[in-house]
Structure formats: structure tokens, C-alpha cells
Amino acid sequence: MPAGEAGRPVGADRWRSPDRGGRGVRSQWVMVAAVVFVGILTIRPMGLGGRGLAGLLLFVINCAVLAVRLVPESAVPDRLVVAWSAFGVLAAAALIGAARAGTSYLFAFFLVAFAGSRLDTRPALVLAVSCSLLCGGVLYVQAEPGQYATTVVGLATGAAVLGGMAGRSRSQATRAAIAAAESAEKAARAEARTGTCGCPAWTEPRPPGA
């Protein structure tokens, strides 16, 4: 069993657990809603025809990819998340290429950060590097000769993985401390029960001849 899938909650509890980055469901909803709302206001072109239709479709696809953040880690296998995230990297790069203005790059940043918090180190880094190269390459191709400053934004998308990995490490440390405290408490209770029920009651010795 992969390391990421050990010790996960089962049943209904898996839908209430926070992700590896330590964030709860409410904060995830707020984060996703904010990215989508800002995208609707700023990303252009989006419409019902021509290039605007392509932008709209790619925007919807990226929203669907980002929505995986709302699913607790225990509800989806790591392999499926890797495949979905890889598809999301392609969609994010395509949206950056289709958009002429706005915050299209946010989807790539948040997707890579999610990969860092959700996946093991190796697949997370592979996705981060792939995203940097694809997004940077798209912006490089679109840039005017001699004006490649925007390429840095695309290349920087992969750096978001570090923030996700840092959040995952903090969460794992917190969970380990809680588990150790619970184990110590259980051991203390078991010892107390043994001392109370498993030993004969002490009686005061009677003096000789009594």
C-alpha cells in the first residue's frame, strides 16, 4: 500500500477529514470560490463564439480540475489524483495560452500547490516541473521578440509546490503528535485498569497473637 494511503479514515469520516496540508473543507471552498470568481471577472476573452468560446471551455475545465481540492484525500486514490493533476497541468497551460488578459495563471499555481500538499514528493515534483515548462513555454512562444518577462510567471508556477509540501509536513507533524498523545493516554488507562483490577487488595497485617 502506498505511503499516502495508509492510515486514512474510512466510511463517512473520510468526507470530513482535512487534507494533508491541514486545511479544512470550509477554507478549501473559500479558496476555490475566490479563484473562480476572480477568473470570471478578469480572464479574457470568454464568450460564446470563436476564441472566446475556447477560453470559456478551458476556464470551465480548469474549474473542474481545481474542484478536486474539495474532495478529502481519503476519498480518492493517489494514482487517480496524479492522473487528474497531469490533465490539469495541460488544461492550465492551455488556458494561459488562450487568455489575453486576467488571472488565468492562478489555476496553475493552485494546482501545483495542491499537488505538493496532496501527493508524495516525487510525483508532486514531476508535476511541478512539467507545469513550469509548459506554462513558461506557452508564454515564451506568445511573447513579442525581446519581451520575455511574462515567461518568468509561467516558470514560477512550479515553485508553488514548495508551499504545498511545507503545509503537508506541518500537518503530518501535528497528526503524529496527536497520535503519540492518544497512544500514551490509552497506555496510561490500560495500566490504571490493570493496577485496579488485576492485583489483590492490600490488607493491613495483623500483629502476632491477635
Side-chain angles (χ1 to χ4, degrees), residues 125-200:
L125 291 178
V126 170
L127 284 170
V129 172
S130 301
C131 190
S132 290
L133 294 178
L134 283 172
C135 295
V138 168
L139 292 174
Y140 179 84
V141 171
Q142 291 185 339
E144 297 292 336
Q147 299 180 0
Y148 301 112
T150 55
T151 305
V152 178
V153 177
L155 294 175
T157 56
V161 74
L162 300 177
M165 293 171 68
R168 181 184 65 188
S169 298
R170 289 194 300 269
S171 177
Q172 288 175 340
T174 301
R175 292 182 183 181
I178 293 174
E182 291 177 346
S183 298
E185 183 179 0
K186 290 179 180 179
R189 289 178 178 176
E191 184 177 356
R193 287 195 298 269
T194 302
T196 301
C197 303
C199 299

Side-chain angles (χ1 to χ4, degrees), residues 43-207:
I43 295 176
R44 298 293 181 271
M46 283 202 298
L48 299 178
R51 193 180 187 91
L53 180 59
L56 178 60
L57 290 176
L58 288 170
F59 176 75
V60 172
I61 292 173
N62 275 272
C63 291
V65 171
L66 192 62
V68 75
R69 297 180 66 102
L70 304 177
V71 181
E73 65 176 65
S74 54
V76 184
D78 282 353
R79 292 180 179 179
L80 181 57
V81 175
V82 170
W84 188 245
S85 299
F87 171 73
V89 167
L90 297 175
L95 180 61
I96 290 176
R100 289 290 176 260
T103 56
S104 58
Y105 55 87
L106 285 182
F107 287 95
F109 277 102
F110 278 92
L111 176 62
V112 172
F114 166 73
S117 66
R118 174 67 170 78
L119 300 175
D120 292 329
T121 301
R122 183 174 180 179
L125 291 178
V126 170
L127 284 170
V129 172
S130 301
C131 190
S132 290
L133 294 178
L134 283 172
C135 295
V138 168
L139 292 174
Y140 179 84
V141 171
Q142 291 185 339
E144 297 292 336
Q147 299 180 0
Y148 301 112
T150 55
T151 305
V152 178
V153 177
L155 294 175
T157 56
V161 74
L162 300 177
M165 293 171 68
R168 181 184 65 188
S169 298
R170 289 194 300 269
S171 177
Q172 288 175 340
T174 301
R175 292 182 183 181
I178 293 174
E182 291 177 346
S183 298
E185 183 179 0
K186 290 179 180 179
R189 289 178 178 176
E191 184 177 356
R193 287 195 298 269
T194 302
T196 301
C197 303
C199 299
W202 180 84
T203 57
E204 184 178 356
R206 300 175 64 183

